[in-house]
Amino acid sequence: MPPRDTSSPEAVQALHKDEQFDMRFPSYVGFWKRSVPGLDEEPRFDMFDEPHWKRKQQILQDHPEITSLYGYDTNTVWITLTAVCVQMGLAYLFGRVLTDWNWTMVLVAYTIGGSISTQIGIIFHEFTHNLCAKTTLQNRWVGNIGNIPLVVPLAQSFRRYHLEHHTYQGVYGYDPDLPLEWEIRLIGNDPVRKFFWLIIYGVMYIGRGLAQQKQLTQWELINWAWTIACDVVIFKVCGARGMLYLAVSVLLGFGLHPGAAHFIQEHYTFRDGQETYSYYGSGNTFWMNIGYHNEHHDFPLVPWTKLPEIKRLAPEHYDNLVYHTSWWAVLYMFVTSSILAPQSRVVRTLDAHRYARKNLRVPTQSEAEQMAPEKTEFVSRIRKAADISMEKA
């Protein structure tokens, strides 16, 4: 999936020639049309930077009080300890007590173990942004402790790649959340292949990080040593079946499971112009408000317990965005819909991202009012160009 010529530095500068402001204001929903399998062969390319850094500035002009929500919530530490203890207790139960309850173990691994494993993944999300404790060191160790029942070293690598996702959202070759080119080609739009792709989605997520071939950091090495040591203890205490229960919990939890549906919900394009989606449903109770994804990307310094408050304080910036209410529906739509596939993402080149971030600023309220006619002309021009591109396709 090489960058298209229309996203070259020259093309980007030509599109934004003589512009001072980002014309996506105030919502920062883009002007692109989503990639449609069968009609398009690759994700949709955008000529702007990722939207959330500017959305934050726009929202804070109207609601500066949101900054009072910044901080951390130590309740996450207690949730982490509880999750780890429950999983370790179940590992011992199936490893040393119920040693012939095979199908029961698989059922519990999906319903309880998978749910806890994905909850720990969300705890990783919190410690990544230093939202669990006061210091970075304390947050790092919340991640390592949470990593114990996952049996593979994920915490510190997740932190590294998730921060890159925030910095380079949608930037081809830099955002590890984007499907790889061979995933898009191999899975295509076949419902069966999409179904099995979701089953192994957790494995693919790790593979995308490995594909960047970056050298392990010091904390990743610590995570490896810590995990190996913990695995040795788990094996001695819980036995091989206990280890198997934990491994199956991870594989099932990060596969076709409602606790993992947020991976599809968050950035796969269900609507033209919108590249991030929130989920407002009952799953947010157990899975720690991970569904509030627009709110999180706009304000990553706000802990999970206060994300709903952002929407309450600034409803005019969120009520007009498309959102989901069912994670099961997200999974069902992705598998069965002919207009959703791994290619259903929006991407941008690093040149487009950097140029738009540096040169197109967020207008003040008075500037936005003065620019209304100019924006109307710009939107008409860029949408006409998009229509022509679609007709050629």
Side-chain angles (χ1 to χ4, degrees), residues 340-359:
L340 287 170
Q343 73 180 65
S344 302
R345 297 292 294 261
V346 61
V347 300
R348 49 185 57 85
T349 64
L350 186 61
D351 289 317
H353 175 72
R354 285 177 170 171
Y355 184 90
R357 177 61 53 86
K358 179 181 179 180
N359 295 286

Side-chain angles (χ1 to χ4, degrees), residues 197-207 254-255:
W197 183 68
L198 289 178
I199 289 178
I200 62 168
Y201 195 87
V203 177
M204 295 309 308
Y205 204 83
I206 296 172
F254 286 95

